[in-house]
Amino acid sequence: APLRITVYPVTESTDAGVRAYMAALTAADFRDVETFFAEEAEDYEVELTQPVRIRVSHAATALPPALPDRPGALTIALWSLRLRYFAARTAWNDPLPTPDIQVFAVYSPLRSGSMAMPDSVGLSKGLVAVTHLYGDREATERNHVVLVHEVLHTLGATDKYDPATSQPLVPFGLGEPDLQPLFPQQFGEIMAGRIAIDWTEAVIAGSLDDMLVGPQTASEIGWTR
């Protein structure tokens, strides 16, 4: 059956533009996310025409717990418990049916034309993601790259980039690992988040149209055996 995903827009910003953007969000604003999952699943012969269905709820009235400043095994474990409790309490207060995956979309103003994405996180335990996005139509397509990346984390997908450099790993972080010559790549692997130009340079994906689900990710989320 399709996975039900509820997106909860939240912000701590007083920016009127961000708040208006959030208030206007509906499920229709995430159709390209649903389309991405459908098209990629079809490539792996998944027998679902619509693998995910997205709804938008404004039931969350506070920000989810922030990641600890000094992450360690204990602090991360405690933060995870707090986040999962926060998610459960939000679901209890939501008139919509309880979803399979909850995404807390934390929106901030788009400053000085910057399109850089703040850190986000997706937890397979509890099926909860926190995505840090920009509350501006200009950033919508790149926001959705981040959102899909974190949703896939909740399903068990692992990162496909070097955490020290953000460079996509070869071959699993490449959209087309069999391309000859190998670089520049035309597409990126969604769990790498970037498109490799050469061995040391990569660019941020402009939209989900630039991204693919690679074989390793497909295996991790159960699309292949």
Side-chain angles (χ1 to χ4, degrees):
L3 289 172
R4 298 169 299 168
I5 301 174
T6 297
V7 176
Y8 299 93
V10 291
T11 188
E12 62 179 353
S13 173
T14 58
D15 185 280
V18 172
R19 290 188 171 272
Y21 174 85
M22 286 173 40
L25 286 173
T26 68
D29 293 296
F30 297 89
R31 288 290 181 260
D32 63 333
V33 173
E34 294 180 341
T35 298
F36 176 82
F37 274 99
E39 292 178 347
E40 294 302 300
E42 184 179 8
D43 287 345
Y44 290 97
E45 300 181 351
V46 175
E47 294 181 359
L48 278 176
T49 57
Q50 189 177 16
V52 304
R53 291 178 180 169
I54 296 180
R55 295 170 294 191
V56 174
S57 171
H58 297 276
T61 57
L63 294 180
L67 278 165
D69 293 332
R70 296 182 179 180
L74 179 58
T75 56
I76 289 295
L78 291 174
W79 166 79
S80 174
L81 289 173
R82 290 177 59 212
L83 176 60
R84 287 150 61 189
Y85 175 73
F86 175 87
R89 189 174 60 184
T90 300
W92 293 335
N93 295 325
D94 191 348
L96 292 176
T98 301
D100 299 303
I101 300 172
Q102 293 171 278
V103 178
F104 294 95
V106 183
Y107 286 98
S108 300
L110 180 61
R111 297 185 179 92
S112 304
S114 172
M115 297 293 288
M117 297 295 183
D119 289 340
S120 299
V121 63
L123 298 180
S124 57
K125 288 186 177 180
L127 296 173
V128 181
V130 178
T131 59
H132 291 276
L133 310 173
Y134 288 110
D136 192 298
R137 292 289 172 187
E138 181 183 342
T140 296
E141 291 187 339
R142 296 195 184 192
N143 282 346
H144 291 172
V145 174
V146 176
L147 189 146
V148 170
H149 180 101
E150 300 306 335
V151 166
L152 288 169
H153 269 314
T154 70
L155 299 175
T158 59
D159 285 324
K160 308 293 188 301
Y161 61 86
D162 183 338
T165 64
S166 297
Q167 184 70 15
L169 298 174
V170 177
F172 299 120
L174 303 181
E176 299 176 295
D178 298 324
L179 189 66
Q180 294 296 330
L182 188 59
F183 300 111
Q185 290 277 305
Q186 300 301 308
F187 298 93
E189 213 284 345
I190 186 64
M191 297 311 295
R194 293 173 181 256
I195 304 169
I197 302 303
D198 56 32
W199 289 100
T200 61
E201 183 181 0
V203 296
I204 296 174
S207 73
L208 289 170
D209 291 338
D210 301 323
M211 296 276 97
L212 300 173
V213 172
Q216 187 176 36
T217 297
S219 175
E220 290 168 344
I221 65 174
W223 281 1
T224 60
R225 298 186 180 184

